[in-house]
Amino acid sequence: MGKKETIFNEIVRKVRKELYGKGPDRIYTHFVENMAVTTMYGILTPTEKFIIQSEEGKKVIHNARTQMIQEIYKQQVPEGLEELVESKLLHLFSDIKVEEDMAVSVFIFEKSIV
């Protein structure tokens, strides 16, 4: 992984740590044309792990996590993110698999970032 991806990961990790109280244990980003594809493992807090023991809990955590992160990025792009890739963030698609304790985010930028 290159320096740019490492810095991108740290920005994403910081946002998630501030928002959820815990950042991912492992995080990987790949830049493809105008996209950054970020895969995160070990994202759930101990409380969330307890909540997902029920089917209803899985739905609650899934909905809260996916909607919250997208709303946060819509309100304000994290400091340094657009400057790092030298392009404006247009969209963020994010999903989690609570049973696997993992998430994937796809950041779509205005122009190529590679």
Side-chain angles (χ1 to χ4, degrees), residues 44-102:
L44 299 175
T45 66
T47 302
E48 289 171 325
K49 288 179 182 179
F50 176 77
I51 292 170
I52 67 166
Q53 291 177 17
S54 72
E55 284 305 311
E56 184 62 30
K58 288 177 187 176
K59 291 176 189 172
V60 168
I61 297 302
H62 180 271
N63 291 338
R65 282 277 188 145
T66 54
Q67 292 172 7
M68 188 181 290
I69 199 68
Q70 289 175 1
E71 190 59 37
I72 291 298
Y73 276 83
K74 223 184 273 181
Q75 290 175 9
Q76 169 127 17
V77 176
E79 186 177 330
L81 190 78
E82 293 176 329
E83 295 80 5
L84 176 67
V85 297
E86 299 176 348
S87 187
K88 182 180 180 340
L89 179 65
L90 298 178
H91 306 288
L92 170 63
F93 297 92
S94 189
D95 200 4
I96 69 169
K97 183 145 185 160
V98 293
E99 301 88 349
E100 303 292 327
D101 195 7
M102 68 173 291

Side-chain angles (χ1 to χ4, degrees), residues 18-61:
E18 289 173 359
L19 186 59
Y20 303 120
K22 178 189 183 308
D25 295 336
R26 292 177 294 139
I27 182 169
Y28 306 97
T29 296
H30 300 282
F31 295 143
V32 181
E33 297 176 10
N34 69 325
M35 297 178 288
V37 180
T38 302
T39 309
M40 296 159 275
Y41 300 90
I43 60 166
L44 299 175
T45 66
T47 302
E48 289 171 325
K49 288 179 182 179
F50 176 77
I51 292 170
I52 67 166
Q53 291 177 17
S54 72
E55 284 305 311
E56 184 62 30
K58 288 177 187 176
K59 291 176 189 172
V60 168
I61 297 302

